[in-house]
Amino acid sequence: MGNNQGPVLLAVESLRKFFGEVRAANDLSLEIAQGQVLSLVGANGAGKSTFLNMLIGLVRPDRGEIRLEGKRITGLPPEQRAKMGIVKTFQLEHVFDDMTVFDNVRTACLSAAGKHYVMFKDVSAEREINERTQHILELFDLATVSQTLVRNLGHGYKKVIDIAMSFAMKPKILLVDEPTSGVGEEEKYRIMELMMNQIRASNLAAIIVEHDLNLVKDLSNETIVMHEGEFIARGAPEEVFSQDKVVEVLVGRGF
Amino acid sequence: MGANTRTDRTLPSQFDDRLMAAIGLTLLAALIPFFVSEYVRTLIQRCLLWIPPIFGVYFIYSLLRQVHFAQSIFIGLGSYIVAFLAGKYFLTSELLILLPLSLLASVVVAYVLGIFIMRRTGFYFAIMGIAVTMVFWSLVYKMRQLTGGSDGISDIKNPTLLGVQLSEQGFYYICLLISLGLILLMHRILHSPFSMQLKAIRGDLQKAESIGIPVHQMRRLAFVVAGANAGLSGVLLAFLYNYVGPTSFAWEFGAQFVQAAIIGGVNYFVGPIVGAFAFVGLEFLVSTWFPNLWEIVIGVTVALIVVTVGEEGVTGIAKNVLVRAFKGINLKERTYSDGK
Ligand SMILES: Nc1ncnc2c1ncn2[C@@H]1O[C@H](COP(=O)(O)OP(=O)(O)OP(=O)(O)O)[C@@H](O)[C@H]1O
Ligand SMILES: [Mg+2]
């Protein structure tokens, strides 16, 4: 798949996942270069989340291969893949509800620093970790709610916290599953802008699942359309969205 | 309960009411052998030695919200190590050998069991804990030749420290020291990065693993921390009674630590300490006055606490009373485990 942005970062080959009769992923193949941003669109149930979950190891594929920087990661557990640089944010709320915003991000920073088994040090005294946490909170406009328990915050905040935690992992490729689902119109643009600024600033590769086609057009110059477990089109958004087969599967299905 | 006003960043090391209370109680505990009968001293020693295994239960519950019924495995391990090495096949009664040995055995056994038990959460974790404990118990019970079966092993020699035989009072201070040491250690651990990540794991397992936290390994290690506490207590309990029986492996025994943790209150760092004294004290009172009613009393007590104050326990009740009596006292220890 011709792209001249740099060496291949992530290579996916014939990834398949069937849930009984449902073909959630039917031999999906894809290559992404460093710094390349792709959007992924498709109707409900097309298999977008399943695809991303296979990439990070939360769903085990029936067959197929996933390579990150040439290394086979297909059988590795999620935590190892995250360490290697492939991280995902979630479609639904996945944050640590009974911790403060600061501690949510701090947890990710601790993890990124590999400090899992440190038992005899006070967390609140880890200066480097705290400084990095604070820095990330500021990048994502979260500093003002730093000491609030996450459960007391709205859905939009939780989406941003999820994204901030993923960034804290210093990923090479970020997978973003509907960052703006269930978020109000205005906030939607704010979240997207925050996130895209960071993705571009750190020259990350990314796959972003998004339902709002207007947003998709601004996100990146390349989009993939998914339908019933298959990639049916790939290219510049304007061009792809005018293809008949794409119109057919997107129109009237939540688009 | 105003949970959202708390912050985890408060340093635990302020000179406050809690610290004063801790120093006062420690002094009191240190002076006790001079004022009470041998019987009461033994009872207090029992309380002290119950604290570490209850802390294990508290640790697993407060961070992972899992109920740990299997602490008796590690009490049993520590106790039988003493029963064999300082009793039946006498080799040594040196604490500096037996304590590390039991620690090592507990760590190894907990790690291996953790591979299986910690794969499960919630209900299944609790049930597996009970099931595994029953296996240990019946092995010990059935291997009569080796373990003495239901008769257990008595004639355990008195403990020595650096070769010097400890007096009863000396042994009391060892128990006090180890219990205090483990309490301080648990305090550190509960404020550590390790504990914060455990809390994250129970909050959202998928998110935790997708930000690189080795969830299974860490959960296993939490089980090891809990078991190590009990393993050390097991050694000292065996010396305290100079007797070890298969009941130290019984899951009902493990369940008592859970009951004690509930009575103490799992919302508070001091809960396990309060729970140990409350449980053993209650056990003593009931067995002297109404020897046949023990099961009923403890059952009703636990049920009443669960229904009325839930996770607050006796500590929560006491705190409320104290707060009303002395305005502004702050007994709530903040750890990564509160914030329900
Ligand atoms: N664990 C599962 N068990 C059974 N079927 C599943 C499972 N996960 C997903 N599916 C099915 O696989 C298909 C693809 O689901 P997936 O969530 O990947 O779609 P999606 O494109 O992310 O949809 P949406 O836009 O609604 O998020 C759906 O038909 C779904 O019902
Ligand atoms: Mg989805």
Side-chain angles (χ1 to χ4, degrees):
Chain A
M1 302 207 173
N3 194 291
N4 50 13
Q5 272 178 284
V8 174
L9 180 69
L10 179 77
V12 179
E13 212 182 291
S14 313
L15 214 53
R16 174 184 288 183
K17 182 75 193 179
F18 292 173
F19 294 109
E21 295 288 287
V22 180
R23 301 178 169 204
N26 198 358
D27 296 334
L28 298 171
S29 297
L30 180 75
E31 278 185 3
I32 294 188
Q34 276 168 23
Q36 185 179 10
V37 177
L38 281 177
S39 55
L40 179 60
V41 300
N44 293 118
K48 306 177 296 291
S49 295
T50 303
F51 176 61
L52 298 190
N53 284 334
M54 284 192 288
L55 297 187
I56 63 156
L58 286 181
V59 169
R60 182 198 297 259
D62 298 337
R63 57 170 254 196
E65 289 284 358
I66 307 160
R67 273 175 231 281
L68 188 67
E69 296 184 307
K71 289 190 278 285
R72 195 173 163 272
I73 59 167
T74 322
L76 296 182
E79 70 257 20
Q80 278 183 40
R81 299 192 205 196
K83 289 266 152 68
M84 294 172 73
I86 181 162
V87 178
K88 188 189 84 123
T89 75
F90 289 79
Q91 179 172 355
L92 304 173
E93 283 179 8
H94 276 276
V95 284
F96 308 125
D97 257 331
D98 49 9
M99 289 161 62
T100 61
V101 176
F102 193 90
D103 282 349
N104 267 259
V105 177
R106 177 158 58 186
T107 304
C109 289
L110 281 168
S111 179
K115 301 198 173 184
H116 300 299
Y117 307 113
V118 181
M119 290 197 194
F120 303 112
K121 232 170 154 185
D122 198 324
V123 193
S124 53
E126 298 244 342
R127 175 169 299 154
E128 266 163 74
I129 299 286
N130 287 348
E131 280 170 3
R132 180 144 188 270
T133 305
Q134 188 61 33
H135 177 67
I136 291 171
L137 290 178
E138 277 156 20
L139 289 182
F140 286 92
D141 251 357
L142 290 168
T144 50
V145 290
S146 157
Q147 292 306 318
T148 311
L149 270 186
V150 168
R151 87 151 67 85
N152 297 331
L153 291 170
H155 179 69
Y157 268 115
K158 294 188 186 183
K159 292 296 244 184
V160 177
I161 293 164
D162 188 350
I163 296 167
M165 278 195 272
S166 303
F167 261 91
M169 288 308 294
K170 303 179 189 160
K172 291 174 184 139
I173 176 164
L174 186 65
L175 313 175
V176 191
D177 200 351
E178 302 200 24
T180 64
S181 69
V183 172
E185 205 56 32
E186 210 171 300
E187 211 177 355
K188 211 167 168 174
Y189 284 88
R190 194 183 71 89
I191 292 177
M192 208 43 117
E193 195 180 317
L194 267 175
M195 187 181 75
M196 289 315 294
N197 283 344
Q198 291 313 314
I199 287 178
R200 294 200 183 101
S202 19
N203 194 31
L204 285 185
I207 303 178
I208 302 163
V209 175
E210 176 54 56
H211 273 280
D212 186 332
L213 295 189
N214 289 319
L215 270 175
V216 166
K217 284 172 190 158
D218 300 336
L219 282 181
S220 94
N221 50 17
E222 196 164 11
T223 190
I224 295 181
V225 183
M226 195 169 181
H227 178 60
E228 294 180 353
E230 288 174 25
F231 295 148
I232 59 164
R234 176 174 183 171
E238 281 83 1
E239 191 264 314
V240 165
F241 296 151
S242 63
Q243 290 177 20
D244 286 347
K245 61 179 177 187
V246 172
V247 172
E248 196 182 309
V249 302
L250 293 186
V251 168
R253 298 179 194 239
F255 286 88
Chain B
M1 237 165 282
N4 50 352
T5 54
R6 60 174 265 283
T7 64
D8 279 340
R9 303 185 69 193
T10 313
L11 288 170
S13 54
Q14 297 149 343
F15 280 87
D16 55 13
D17 308 330
R18 281 174 310 190
L19 189 63
M20 300 319 280
I23 292 173
L25 287 174
T26 307
L27 279 176
L28 184 67
L31 292 175
I32 267 172
F34 298 107
F35 297 108
V36 299
S37 67
E38 190 184 322
Y39 184 80
V40 175
R41 193 200 60 223
T42 308
L43 206 63
I44 291 170
Q45 247 165 309
R46 182 175 162 82
C47 294
L48 291 173
L49 297 181
W50 270 47
I51 292 171
I54 300 171
F55 252 111
V57 172
Y58 167 81
F59 184 63
I60 299 289
Y61 183 79
S62 61
L63 291 172
L64 293 169
R65 287 290 181 271
Q66 294 187 209
V67 185
H68 185 354
F69 280 113
Q71 283 293 57
S72 49
I73 292 176
F74 307 101
I75 296 277
L77 268 178
S79 293
Y80 273 90
I81 284 176
V82 172
F84 288 139
L85 296 185
K88 195 172 177 189
Y89 310 104
F90 182 81
L91 279 174
T92 177
S93 56
E94 174 59 50
L95 286 176
L96 289 183
I97 295 174
L98 294 170
L99 285 171
L101 199 64
S102 168
L103 184 65
L104 184 72
S106 307
V107 166
V108 172
V109 170
Y111 190 85
V112 174
L113 288 180
I115 295 173
F116 305 102
I117 295 186
M118 276 306 201
R119 292 224 157 246
R120 295 276 168 263
T121 55
F123 178 69
Y124 294 98
F125 169 80
I127 294 298
M128 273 183 76
I130 293 176
V132 173
T133 311
M134 285 169 101
V135 172
F136 274 84
W137 175 82
S138 58
L139 281 177
V140 171
Y141 194 82
K142 296 224 165 84
M143 295 196 295
R144 256 202 110 73
Q145 294 277 312
L146 186 69
T147 62
S150 57
D151 297 335
I153 296 169
S154 43
D155 304 327
I156 293 169
K157 302 277 186 302
N158 286 332
T160 59
L161 187 69
L162 289 167
V164 182
Q165 176 141 7
L166 288 166
S167 67
E168 302 264 302
Q169 297 211 350
F171 184 57
Y172 173 87
Y173 287 113
I174 295 292
C175 294
L176 180 63
L177 216 68
I178 289 181
S179 186
L180 280 178
L182 288 175
I183 292 170
L184 291 178
L185 214 62
M186 290 310 285
H187 188 270
R188 294 308 292 161
I189 294 179
L190 279 158
H191 286 82
S192 70
F194 181 70
S195 290
M196 189 154 100
Q197 288 171 84
L198 284 180
K199 191 179 172 187
I201 290 171
R202 83 120 193 280
D204 191 320
L205 190 106
Q206 287 200 335
K207 183 65 192 166
E209 57 185 350
S210 68
I211 55 168
I213 297 177
V215 293
H216 299 297
Q217 190 75 3
M218 290 191 71
R219 283 163 48 82
R220 223 172 289 151
L221 223 58
F223 193 68
V224 169
V225 168
N229 273 287
L232 292 174
S233 271
V235 169
L236 300 173
L237 278 168
F239 279 123
L240 182 62
Y241 295 109
N242 289 320
Y243 165 79
V244 173
T247 46
S248 59
F249 268 113
W251 76 267
E252 291 93 333
F253 188 34
Q256 291 185 338
F257 299 127
V258 176
Q259 292 170 332
I262 293 171
I263 292 174
V266 283
N267 275 350
Y268 298 92
F269 179 77
V270 292
I273 304 169
V274 174
F277 280 89
F279 189 98
V280 175
L282 194 65
E283 189 184 43
F284 165 69
L285 292 179
V286 176
S287 60
T288 23
W289 292 337
F290 319 99
N292 298 322
L293 295 180
W294 169 238
E295 271 85 8
I296 296 176
V297 171
I298 191 67
V300 170
T301 308
V302 170
L304 273 179
I305 284 179
V306 170
V307 170
T308 54
V309 293
E311 300 184 336
E312 289 286 294
V314 173
T315 313
I317 298 172
K319 191 192 85 174
N320 281 339
V321 173
L322 281 175
V323 164
R324 252 168 237 162
F326 316 90
K327 273 199 161 146
I329 197 167
N330 180 13
L331 280 176
K332 174 143 185 163
E333 175 56 61
R334 295 188 176 89
T335 69
Y336 287 101
S337 58
D338 11 285
K340 276 186 301 234

